[in-house]
Amino acid sequence: MISVAVQEADFDAGAELRALQADNPALGAVASFVGLMRDRNEGVAVTAMALEHYPGMTEASIRDIAEQACERWPLGGVRVVHRVGLIRPGEQIVLVAVSAAHRKEAFAGCEFIMDYLKTRAPFWKKETTAQGEERWVQARDTDQAAAARW
Amino acid sequence: MISVAVQEADFDAGAELRALQADNPALGAVASFVGLMRDRNEGVAVTAMALEHYPGMTEASIRDIAEQACERWPLGGVRVVHRVGLIRPGEQIVLVAVSAAHRKEAFAGCEFIMDYLKTRAPFWKKETTAQGEERWVQARDTDQAAAARW
Amino acid sequence: MIRVLFFASLREALGTAEIAVPWQAGLELPAGLIAAIARQQGEAAAAILADEQVICAHNQRVCKHPTALNAGDEVAFYPPVTGG
Amino acid sequence: MIRVLFFASLREALGTAEIAVPWQAGLELPAGLIAAIARQQGEAAAAILADEQVICAHNQRVCKHPTALNAGDEVAFYPPVTGG
């Protein structure tokens, strides 16, 4: 069971975990990841971030990534929530939660989805520095390398 | 910052994640794991589980494992909650949540702590099968192998 | 027509989020469409889109190889993604 | 005295969760203590503790090598752990 939400509103990570756990008593493991906005990026203080996306393709590409994870590992459920719009330091940006019978598969599925989401899903971040400058966040080679290992 | 709780009561995974997130706006990643009681083990339906532990050593060994994780990776915070006493299928058993600046370290720290907790912390599970038989859960070679890879 | 979308820094560089390009038989992605955009928006716009870093999506799927376009297709050009 | 604790299946097999063993100079973990337990609880109990699967903790830390005991120390014997 795959659930994908792309939304401006903040989300309740606990409720997402509960929704996965309610699924199926054969599942013993839920691995999850929450990405938060940091107050610095590449050494510069940042005060806000605008997250742009490609409506329609965003949801479809996340669902496609989740389906790939379900083909690679025997997963019970996948829930992804990704925010768009204006985000402030300390706020939640993204949640990926994955259930499975055992923890190895749950962790692998969760990391895989995060790595692919970072390098495949059409989101773009523009941050505002403490000096008031707006700049597009640059893609990171380490993210490409993380996705390439799967 | 390391928090360890060993308790009979169920826990609120969302509250644990929030407590980690509130720590520090320099942290961009929270990886977590929730272990749930499955309704079958080794092919047999189970209806309940009693979790015994070694009070005092349990908390100290979990803290020691968390400190080892903090030495290996630059982690922001670690929160571990482990239940003891009577647990039913579908209920939460354990939570490990780890924050870090970036996701690679958060995932590694979380998996490391789970692998070590499974093979080092003094907990023992006794399950009751659907036929009413009580049996001690046997340690798994796959858990030993998972801990040995670190 | 082909609906052509631009996102993020490409949207800003081109000064528009969306244009319509007339479809004609044999129109191919990416080279044919970029040539059509050059005629419509100018060579500078086309040069931006031809950068090897730019990603091209055809009907909301990433497109890495030359692909024939059909009337009504949706094409998007965007820079490397930075979500998550 | 040495406080000696047994957990889980060992507790059940030995029929007790805790015993006290008199301390004497030179008493060592594990062999010396297990011999003292044999005198006090019987050879069957000692055989259970001598199993290579059994884990021994000294003052709440796992103890893998021969270790001298001090009066008042706490020792625990337990089977492989199954938490998490």
Side-chain angles (χ1 to χ4, degrees):
Chain A
M1 194 133 67
I2 296 171
S3 159
V4 175
V6 177
Q7 61 191 45
E8 293 202 7
D10 193 14
F11 53 82
D12 178 347
E16 296 297 323
L17 295 187
R18 278 194 299 280
L20 261 190
Q21 293 177 19
D23 259 11
N24 186 340
L27 303 175
V30 174
S32 66
F33 179 83
V34 175
L36 306 164
M37 186 180 163
R38 297 189 302 135
D39 63 357
R40 299 186 78 78
N41 189 23
E42 291 170 9
V44 176
V46 291
T47 56
M49 188 165 76
L51 245 162
E52 178 175 339
H53 75 125
Y54 181 174
M57 182 171 171
T58 315
E59 293 83 351
S61 64
I62 295 173
R63 188 166 287 276
D64 182 58
I65 290 164
E67 284 168 357
Q68 286 181 49
C70 291
E71 283 166 19
R72 285 181 179 233
W73 297 281
L75 305 182
V78 174
R79 296 183 74 86
V80 179
V81 185
H82 203 300
R83 290 179 64 198
V84 293
L86 186 70
I87 296 177
R88 302 278 184 190
E91 288 184 17
Q92 302 183 121
I93 301 170
V94 60
L95 171 137
V96 173
V98 172
S99 63
H102 300 287
R103 73 187 181 287
K104 189 180 159 191
E105 291 75 23
F107 273 118
C110 188
E111 268 201 274
F112 171 91
I113 291 169
M114 271 308 301
D115 286 345
Y116 267 57
L117 195 155
K118 282 252 180 195
T119 54
R120 306 281 197 277
F123 292 100
W124 303 273
K125 290 172 179 160
K126 188 178 208 176
E127 60 192 10
T128 305
T129 71
Q131 280 70 42
E133 186 202 352
E134 293 192 350
R135 58 180 192 180
W136 290 101
V137 172
Q138 297 302 301
R140 300 161 62 102
D141 290 343
T142 53
D143 286 331
Q144 291 293 334
R149 74 196 156 120
W150 296 102
Chain B
M1 194 133 67
I2 294 171
S3 159
V4 174
V6 177
Q7 61 190 45
E8 293 203 5
D10 193 15
F11 54 83
D12 178 347
E16 296 297 323
L17 296 187
R18 278 194 298 279
L20 263 189
Q21 294 178 18
D23 259 10
N24 184 341
L27 303 175
V30 174
S32 66
F33 180 82
V34 175
L36 307 164
M37 185 181 164
R38 297 188 301 135
D39 63 356
R40 299 185 78 77
N41 189 22
E42 291 169 8
V44 176
V46 290
T47 56
M49 188 166 76
L51 245 162
E52 179 175 339
H53 76 124
Y54 182 175
M57 181 170 172
T58 315
E59 293 81 351
S61 64
I62 295 172
R63 189 167 289 275
D64 182 58
I65 290 164
E67 284 167 357
Q68 286 182 50
C70 291
E71 283 165 20
R72 286 180 178 234
W73 298 281
L75 304 183
V78 174
R79 296 184 76 85
V80 179
V81 185
H82 203 299
R83 289 179 67 198
V84 292
L86 185 70
I87 296 176
R88 303 277 183 190
E91 288 184 19
Q92 301 182 124
I93 301 170
V94 59
L95 170 136
V96 173
V98 172
S99 63
H102 299 288
R103 73 187 181 288
K104 189 180 159 192
E105 291 75 24
F107 272 118
C110 189
E111 268 201 274
F112 171 89
I113 291 170
M114 270 310 300
D115 286 346
Y116 267 57
L117 195 153
K118 282 252 179 195
T119 54
R120 305 282 198 276
F123 292 100
W124 303 274
K125 289 172 179 160
K126 189 180 208 176
E127 60 193 10
T128 304
T129 69
Q131 280 70 42
E133 186 201 354
E134 294 192 349
R135 57 180 194 181
W136 291 101
V137 172
Q138 297 302 302
R140 299 159 63 101
D141 289 344
T142 52
D143 286 331
Q144 291 294 336
R149 73 197 156 118
W150 297 103
Chain C
M1 300 297 275
I2 305 292
R3 185 183 183 204
V4 183
L5 308 176
F6 309 112
F7 289 97
S9 57
L10 289 191
R11 174 176 50 71
E12 290 184 345
L14 295 169
T16 182
E18 177 172 350
I19 60 171
V21 175
W23 177 81
Q24 57 185 63
L27 186 63
E28 269 208 351
L29 199 61
L33 184 67
I34 290 176
I37 293 170
R39 288 189 292 275
Q40 188 169 326
Q41 306 287 119
E43 289 293 339
I48 290 167
L49 301 180
D51 185 296
E52 64 172 14
Q53 292 262 58
V54 168
I55 294 153
C56 177
H58 174 222
N59 292 336
Q60 305 196 350
R61 297 193 74 88
V62 170
C63 174
K64 291 183 174 169
H65 305 289
T67 304
L69 289 168
N70 294 308
D73 280 358
E74 178 175 299
V75 171
F77 293 93
Y78 56 79
V81 301
T82 56
Chain D
M1 301 296 275
I2 305 294
R3 186 184 184 202
V4 183
L5 309 175
F6 308 112
F7 288 97
S9 57
L10 290 190
R11 174 177 49 71
E12 290 184 344
L14 294 168
T16 182
E18 177 172 352
I19 62 172
V21 174
W23 177 79
Q24 56 186 65
L27 186 64
E28 268 208 350
L29 198 63
L33 184 68
I34 290 176
I37 293 171
R39 288 191 293 277
Q40 187 171 326
Q41 306 289 119
E43 289 294 341
I48 288 167
L49 301 180
D51 185 298
E52 65 171 11
Q53 292 260 59
V54 169
I55 294 153
C56 178
H58 175 223
N59 292 336
Q60 305 197 350
R61 295 192 75 88
V62 170
C63 173
K64 293 184 174 167
H65 305 291
T67 305
L69 289 168
N70 295 307
D73 279 359
E74 177 176 300
V75 172
F77 293 93
Y78 55 76
V81 301
T82 56

